[in-house]
Amino acid sequence: MIPIAKPLVGEEEGEAARAAVLSGWVSQGPQVAAFEAEFAAFVGADHACAVSNCTTALHLALLAVGVGPGDEVVTVSHSFIAGANAIRQCGGVPVFVDIEAGGYNIDPVSVAAALTPRTRAILCVHQIGMPCDMEAILRIARAAGVAVVEDAACGIGSEIRVGEVWQRIGRPMGDVVCFSFHPRKVITTGEGGMLTTNSAEHDARFRLWRQHGMSVSDRARHASATVIFEDYPVRGYNYRMTDMQAAIGRVQLTRLPGIVARRRELARRYDAALAGIEGVTPPHEPEWARSNWQSYCIRLGEGVEQVPVMQAMLDAGVATRRGIMNMHQEAAQADVPRPHPLIRSEAARDRCILLPLYAQMTEEEQDRVIAALRAALDTTRRVRSNETRSLETDTAA
């Protein structure tokens, strides 16, 4: 079976985790601090703060920009449900808008139309690794005086052109950027997340909140030559990353350029192979964006049904996933405001398929995926053709 994804981990990660275990410091400690420093340097941010996962990162980011009870946060429905959950954890109200035409990221025009006097922030998503139109979003946000949080759960290693300069996602264009290190992402720590910001004030809050609001960190207390006691000036959370995770993350970060380069190579092979297949539209990469290709998403043409294609590919030993979920179509978020119908989002979920893509994928495996897709499309076309002829015969009779 060819899986949809596969984390690239090996002996180096195992040795790093072993060393952390044997050091005696397994919770948040020196490995976390080193991972934060290396991550900030890699993306070009002033500050990076490691946390337990991206959902907790989103929660802290939204709190830091002032989202509270009754505040609205404009975001895209076409994303994982954690975004709306984090907004609601703050007491805020998600306001769902549609995706752009021809893509899978938030539509800036819809964002502008959804702003109200109650809007506190815009939560944009670099969906499946493709950078969203940050320049347009920032123009809207600055004109309205609202904050911008970037959900870059899938975005590590992606790049965006600002003017004539390319920069990595994670160098904050808005207020805060949030990352995930789940195994489905480009690099992994098993679970884990990171916040990057250029605001020293935000970073200080993240560090206080992630550890129960404790005024003195474990590292500072253990390193002190005099007796010191911590206090708890604010309410906080247990959102810490462990040193074992961070040790793995440091190795993964060194692998990242090679992983992204290989994923881009495989994406180009998909582009070339799928260009001539009827009924399939490959993803579009804007000229100002360089995706890490966390996922490779194809759109099926009219008359080609998603589930039969996916099932035929699964029968052939190739795993796929349907298009990105829509939060507004889930019962847990059915009460969320939608200024306009989310037609593009709904079509993308039901007409798109994610194909297997991972750094270890061989060309032979990728060719098997392409062959399985071709065969699945041919099968579904034959079935549809037979059903049409049968219907015509019945009608004539």
Side-chain angles (χ1 to χ4, degrees):
M1 173 68 70
I2 296 177
I4 187 69
K6 187 188 297 185
L8 180 55
V9 293
E11 292 294 335
E12 290 181 68
E13 284 83 358
E15 286 300 318
R18 180 177 185 273
V21 169
L22 295 178
S23 75
W25 199 318
V26 294
S27 188
Q28 180 178 283
Q31 289 293 328
V32 169
F35 185 32
E36 291 169 336
E38 291 160 7
F39 195 91
F42 183 87
V43 300
D46 289 347
H47 308 280
C49 178
V51 288
S52 52
N53 54 63
C54 190
T55 306
T56 57
L58 290 168
H59 182 208
L60 296 188
L62 292 165
L63 285 177
V65 300
V67 175
D71 290 334
E72 293 180 350
V73 179
V74 176
T75 192
V76 65
S77 173
H78 192 65
S79 186
F80 188 55
I81 204 162
N85 286 343
I87 294 167
R88 291 190 161 201
Q89 278 184 278
C90 299
V93 179
V95 177
F96 290 146
V97 297
D98 213 349
I99 57 174
E100 61 199 345
Y104 308 107
N105 277 323
I106 194 166
D107 175 34
V109 174
S110 297
V111 170
L115 298 180
T116 75
R118 295 183 299 279
T119 304
R120 174 70 66 173
I122 298 167
L123 174 59
C124 56
V125 182
H126 301 298
Q127 191 55 262
I128 53 179
M130 189 69 70
C132 59
D133 190 348
M134 288 302 302
E135 290 192 337
I137 291 165
L138 288 168
R139 281 196 299 271
I140 294 165
R142 286 166 181 159
V146 300
V148 174
V149 174
E150 300 174 54
D151 180 346
C154 300
I156 183 63
S158 295
E159 298 164 277
I160 189 169
R161 194 180 67 207
V162 181
E164 298 302 318
V165 178
W166 287 96
Q167 66 183 50
R168 288 174 172 144
I169 295 297
R171 179 180 180 181
M173 297 183 69
D175 296 88
V176 188
V177 191
C178 303
F179 292 92
S180 170
F181 303 124
H182 182 273
R184 184 69 178 82
K185 304 306 187 286
V186 175
I187 62 173
T188 185
T189 58
E191 288 284 357
M194 189 77 77
L195 302 107
T196 62
T197 183
N198 288 337
S199 166
E201 182 180 3
H202 287 342
D203 185 65
R205 287 176 174 173
F206 300 151
R207 294 174 186 281
L208 194 63
W209 285 332
R210 73 175 173 180
Q211 189 160 318
H212 302 289
M214 187 187 297
S215 63
V216 180
S217 72
D218 290 343
R219 291 180 67 230
R221 189 171 64 249
H222 289 307
S224 177
T226 59
V227 175
I228 55 174
F229 297 103
E230 73 278 3
D231 55 22
Y232 299 84
V234 299
R235 285 175 293 184
Y237 312 89
N238 184 359
Y239 285 175
R240 292 169 292 192
M241 175 182 280
T242 70
D243 257 29
M244 294 175 290
Q245 291 171 294
I248 293 170
R250 295 180 68 190
V251 177
Q252 286 276 285
L253 194 59
T254 67
R255 293 187 189 272
L256 182 56
I259 290 174
V260 172
R262 177 58 179 162
R263 297 178 82 98
R264 287 173 175 167
E265 181 182 348
L266 291 166
R268 287 192 293 269
R269 287 192 87 245
Y270 269 141
D271 287 345
L274 301 183
I277 298 181
E278 182 184 355
V280 171
T281 302
H284 170 67
E285 185 177 58
E287 50 87 21
W288 42 262
R290 292 174 180 163
S291 179
N292 62 10
W293 298 105
Q294 184 269 341
S295 292
Y296 190 91
C297 184
I298 62 170
R299 187 182 294 266
L300 301 176
E302 291 297 323
V304 181
E305 294 185 34
Q306 181 191 62
V307 174
V309 171
M310 295 175 68
Q311 186 62 55
M313 294 184 72
L314 184 61
D315 293 342
V318 176
T320 61
R321 293 291 183 272
R322 73 171 183 178
I324 305 302
M325 69 172 289
N326 292 318
M327 292 185 272
H328 76 276
Q329 292 179 291
E330 301 297 326
Q333 306 295 342
D335 60 332
V336 171
R338 286 169 276 168
H340 302 285
L342 306 181
I343 298 171
R344 295 171 185 159
S345 298
E346 293 179 8
R349 189 197 72 166
D350 297 337
R351 302 217 57 78
C352 291
I353 295 176
L354 306 184
L355 299 181
L357 183 61
Y358 44 92
Q360 311 94 301
M361 177 179 260
T362 66
E363 293 186 359
E364 290 76 17
E365 288 175 322
Q366 190 175 33
D367 290 341
R368 278 183 57 197
V369 174
I370 295 164
L373 176 60
R374 286 182 182 273
L377 291 168
D378 289 342
T379 298
T380 55
R381 288 192 190 101
R382 284 196 302 271
V383 170
R384 191 172 68 254
S385 178
N386 291 338
E387 290 174 346
T388 301
R389 283 198 298 269
S390 177
L391 180 62
E392 290 172 348
T393 300
D394 291 344
T395 302

